[in-house]
Amino acid sequence: MRLATLLLSGLVSLLPLSSSTILQNGQLRETHFQETKIASVTSTSTGWRTYEPNAPEISYKGRWDSKHISWWAAPGIKFGFTGQNVALTFGEHTSPLVLVAYRFGGLDWQMTNITANATHQFISPSTRGLNLTLSPQLPQIFELRVTNWGLGVQVRAVHVSSNSTLIKIPNFSKSIEFIGDSLTSGMYATYEAFSGFGYNIGAGFGDVEFSITAYPGICLTDAVCWDNPRGQTYQWFHTQDTSPRAAKIYGTEPEEWDFSAHPSADLVIINLGTNDNNTHNNLTSAQYLTSYLSFVSKVQKVHPNAQIILMSLWKSFSAVGNSYRQTGAFVDEIYQVYQHYKDEGYVHYFNSTGVLQHNDYGPGSHPTDWGHIKVASHMMQYIRLKFGWEFGASGPEIQHETLYWNNEPNY
Ligand SMILES: *[C@@H]1O[C@H](CO)[C@@H](O)[C@H](O)[C@H]1NC(C)=O
Ligand SMILES: *[C@@H]1O[C@H](CO)[C@@H](O)[C@H](O)[C@H]1NC(C)=O
Ligand SMILES: *[C@@H]1O[C@H](CO)[C@@H](O)[C@H](O)[C@H]1NC(C)=O
Ligand SMILES: *[C@@H]1O[C@H](CO)[C@@H](O)[C@H](O)[C@H]1NC(C)=O
Ligand SMILES: *[C@@H]1O[C@H](CO)[C@@H](O)[C@H](O)[C@H]1NC(C)=O
Ligand SMILES: *[C@@H]1O[C@H](CO)[C@@H](O)[C@H](O)[C@H]1NC(C)=O
Ligand SMILES: *[C@@H]1O[C@H](CO)[C@@H](O)[C@H](O)[C@H]1NC(C)=O
Ligand SMILES: *[C@@H]1O[C@H](CO)[C@@H](O)[C@H](O)[C@H]1NC(C)=O
C-alpha cells in the first residue's frame, strides 16, 4: 500500500495533461486538464487517513442526496485540511469522465476528468501555494465544482495524510438560490454551468453560498418540456433534477429536498419561461401566469426571508428589417406576477432588456461566455444597489479561461 502513496506523488508532480475536446466556435480549444487519477485508496491504505462522505467537516454546496450524489448545476464540495495530500474516492454513480473544476485556496481553478469507482488526488506536496503560510487564506481550503448541469459525482470518501485532519469551513452568512433552465445552467457555454450566469453571480459575490437549481429544457409549468418529465413547480422541491441519470436511480420518485435542513436563502433569482414560451411544448400564456403566481408564494413559504427577483426573458434575437430585435417571452405575464406581489415587498423585477445583443448569442440559441458575464455583471450591480450587498471576490479567479488579450499595437 505504500506503493500507492509513492505512485500518486509521482503522478501528481509530473502533472501530465489529458486530451480533451472542448470546442470554441466549432474549433478545438486548447485545454490543460490535469491527470489526477491514482491507484485506489481505501480506509486501510498506509499513509492515508480516510473520512466518510458524511463527515461533518465536509461542506456540500448545491443539492446532494442521501447517497452523496450531486444534482443540478455546478454543485460542489469544500473543506479545510492540514498536511499536503488530499484525495477523493468517487462512487459508482459518478458520470463517466465528468469534468470537474477544483482549486486550492484562492489560486486558479484547474480542470480534471473524474472516473467512477476511482480515487483522484487533487493536492500533493508539489501543489503550488501549499507552504505559503503567509498566504491570505488559512486554514488551507480545498474546493471542487462539477462543471456540468446534468452530470454529477458521488463522493465515497475523502483522504488526507495519515497525520492530517479535515477542518470544517463555516458557511458564508448569505445565500442565493437560482431557479432556472438551460440559461441559468450555462448550457453551451465553454465550461457549461461553471461558465453560466448562475455560477458567475453566485461565485462573483465571493462571500455568499449559492445553489443553482436549473436544468436545460425545463418549464416553470409542471409539464413535459423537451423530454423533462416535470416542470420546476414540482421538481424544484426535490433533490434530484430531471436528468435521465436521476430517472435511472430514482425512477419517477425523486427525494424531497429538506429545506428545513439547510439555511433559508436570502435571495432567490428566477429565470423561467423560455421553454414554456416555445410552441414545441404546447403551453398557454394563461397556464404560465397561473403557475408563476402560485410558485412565487410557495418559494416564499420555504424561504420566508428571501427577496425574490423575477428576471424578464430575452428569449432570442432575430433579424427584423435591416436590424435585429430581442424576441422576449411572456413580457406582460412576468410583469403581472411582479405587480401582483409588489406591495408585499419581497418580489422584484429585473429588466434584462438591453443587457444582451444578438452577438451575445451562439448558434445554439444560448448566451456565449461573454453573454453570461454581461448578465451576471448587470445582475450583481442591481443586487448591490438594491440590497447593499458588496462584492467580496476582489482577487481569486471566478471565470476560468476568459483571459483574451492583445499585445499587438497599431492595426
Ligand atoms: C474530459 O471531459 C471533457 C468534457 O466533458 C471531454 O470533452 C473530454 O473528452 C474528457 N477527457 C477525457 C480524457 O476523457
Ligand atoms: C463501479 O462499481 C460498481 C459496484 O462494484 C459496479 O457495478 C460498476 O460497474 C462500476 N462502474 C465502473 C464504471 O467501473
Ligand atoms: C512544501 O514543503 C515540503 C516539506 O515540508 C516539501 O516536501 C514540499 O516539496 C514543499 N512544497 C512546495 C510546493 O514547495
Ligand atoms: C506528517 O507526516 C509527514 C510524512 O511522514 C511528515 O513529513 C510531516 O512532518 C508530518 N506532519 C505532522 C504535522 O506531523
Ligand atoms: C452550508 O451551505 C450549504 C449550501 O451552500 C447548505 O447545503 C448547508 O446546509 C449549509 N450548512 C450549514 C451548517 O448551514
Ligand atoms: C404538442 O401537440 C402536438 C399536436 O397535438 C403533439 O403532436 C405533441 O406531441 C405535443 N407536444 C407535447 C410536448 O406535448
Ligand atoms: C411568448 O411570449 C410572447 C411575448 O409575451 C407572446 O407574444 C407569445 O404568444 C408567447 N408564445 C407562446 C408560445 O407562449
Ligand atoms: C425594460 O427595459 C426596456 C429597455 O429600457 C424598456 O423599453 C421597457 O419598458 C422596460 N420594461 C419595463 C417593464 O419596465
Side-chain angles (χ1 to χ4, degrees):
M1 278 303 161
R2 183 149 297 151
L3 182 65
T5 318
L6 286 174
L7 245 178
L8 64 87
S9 320
L11 268 177
V12 175
S13 57
L14 285 174
L15 293 180
L17 305 172
S18 59
S19 64
S20 69
T21 48
I22 296 282
L23 299 179
Q24 180 175 306
N25 297 358
Q27 309 293 311
L28 267 189
R29 180 188 176 118
E30 189 191 331
T31 55
H32 305 275
F33 296 169
Q34 309 298 319
E35 185 59 75
T36 51
K37 194 172 147 197
I38 58 169
S40 269
V41 175
T42 66
S43 54
T44 55
S45 297
T46 309
W48 291 101
R49 170 175 187 163
T50 293
Y51 286 80
E52 296 292 316
N54 60 359
E57 292 87 351
I58 306 169
S59 297
Y60 290 89
K61 311 295 185 187
R63 293 203 181 173
W64 293 71
D65 70 20
S66 54
K67 299 183 169 97
H68 301 100
I69 305 172
S70 71
W71 299 101
W72 301 94
I77 56 173
K78 184 175 176 182
F79 52 76
F81 64 96
T82 64
Q84 305 196 324
N85 292 290
V86 172
L88 268 76
T89 300
F90 294 92
E92 59 180 302
H93 296 300
T94 296
S95 308
L97 294 176
V98 58
L99 188 68
V100 304
Y102 66 97
R103 71 171 168 188
F104 169 59
L107 295 178
D108 291 343
W109 290 98
Q110 303 193 73
M111 310 299 241
T112 189
N113 296 76
I114 302 298
T115 302
N117 297 337
T119 302
H120 287 256
Q121 183 168 7
F122 300 98
I123 304 287
S124 76
S126 65
T127 296
R128 185 181 151 219
L130 257 188
N131 294 340
L132 304 179
T133 49
L134 289 181
S135 98
Q137 197 176 82
L138 279 173
Q140 309 186 112
I141 294 176
F142 173 77
E143 259 182 283
L144 176 149
R145 292 255 167 200
V146 174
T147 60
N148 185 257
W149 31 260
L151 306 174
V153 298
Q154 178 180 32
V155 173
R156 193 186 282 162
V158 174
H159 317 278
V160 292
S161 307
S162 52
N163 57 0
S164 301
T165 54
L166 286 186
I167 299 166
K168 186 172 179 62
I169 304 297
N171 274 354
F172 295 122
S173 61
K174 294 199 291 283
S175 75
I176 306 180
E177 172 81 22
F178 294 92
I179 314 177
D181 52 29
S182 59
L183 300 166
T184 309
S185 67
M187 190 180 207
Y188 302 149
T190 296
Y191 286 113
E192 305 190 300
F194 194 65
S195 302
F197 69 77
Y199 165 82
N200 281 321
I201 297 166
F205 276 103
D207 56 2
V208 311
E209 302 296 333
F210 61 94
S211 178
I212 310 170
T213 329
Y215 194 87
I218 201 164
C219 283
L220 166 67
T221 307
D222 190 16
V224 177
C225 291
W226 302 114
D227 294 336
N228 288 288
R230 306 293 297 254
Q232 284 287 33
T233 53
Y234 168 85
Q235 205 70 35
W236 182 69
F237 298 93
H238 295 82
T239 308
Q240 288 83 22
D241 52 40
T242 44
S243 61
R245 179 170 75 100
K248 209 172 141 201
I249 306 173
Y250 291 95
T252 53
E253 292 185 13
E255 294 175 350
E256 279 185 26
W257 179 249
D258 184 0
F259 288 98
S260 65
H262 304 271
S264 170
D266 298 289
L267 207 53
V268 176
I269 300 178
I270 305 177
N271 183 308
L272 281 169
T274 304
N275 295 305
D276 302 62
N277 190 256
N278 196 301
T279 48
H280 177 270
N281 298 316
N282 297 342
L283 295 171
T284 64
S285 306
Q287 282 174 301
Y288 175 76
L289 179 60
T290 308
S291 304
Y292 214 159
L293 285 169
S294 76
F295 188 56
V296 168
S297 65
K298 286 180 187 162
V299 170
Q300 202 267 340
K301 215 175 224 154
V302 294
H303 290 308
N305 304 317
Q307 301 298 321
I308 302 176
I309 301 174
L310 317 180
M311 290 179 77
S312 74
L313 306 173
W314 49 83
K315 189 163 178 178
S316 60
F317 298 84
S318 49
V320 177
N322 58 7
S323 187
Y324 296 90
R325 196 165 63 201
Q326 174 178 302
T327 315
F330 296 137
V331 178
D332 298 340
E333 288 77 7
I334 297 172
Y335 201 72
Q336 251 176 285
V337 176
Y338 161 65
Q339 284 187 310
H340 179 88
Y341 286 102
K342 197 172 65 174
D343 292 342
E344 299 189 28
Y346 62 87
V347 175
H348 310 272
Y349 181 81
F350 177 82
N351 188 347
S352 65
T353 304
V355 171
L356 298 178
Q357 285 77 44
H358 85 95
N359 58 316
D360 294 315
Y361 247 49
S365 277
H366 285 79
T368 59
D369 292 354
W370 284 97
H372 280 290
I373 291 172
K374 287 172 71 175
V375 172
S377 302
H378 282 268
M379 178 58 96
M380 287 177 65
Q381 187 70 334
Y382 172 87
I383 293 168
R384 176 191 229 171
L385 294 174
K386 198 151 183 107
F387 307 115
W389 290 28
E390 284 307 326
F391 296 170
S394 55
E397 180 183 276
I398 302 296
Q399 288 91 22
H400 188 63
E401 288 178 7
T402 45
L403 181 65
Y404 303 102
W405 47 266
N406 170 37
N407 277 353
E408 309 278 327
N410 307 326
Y411 284 101

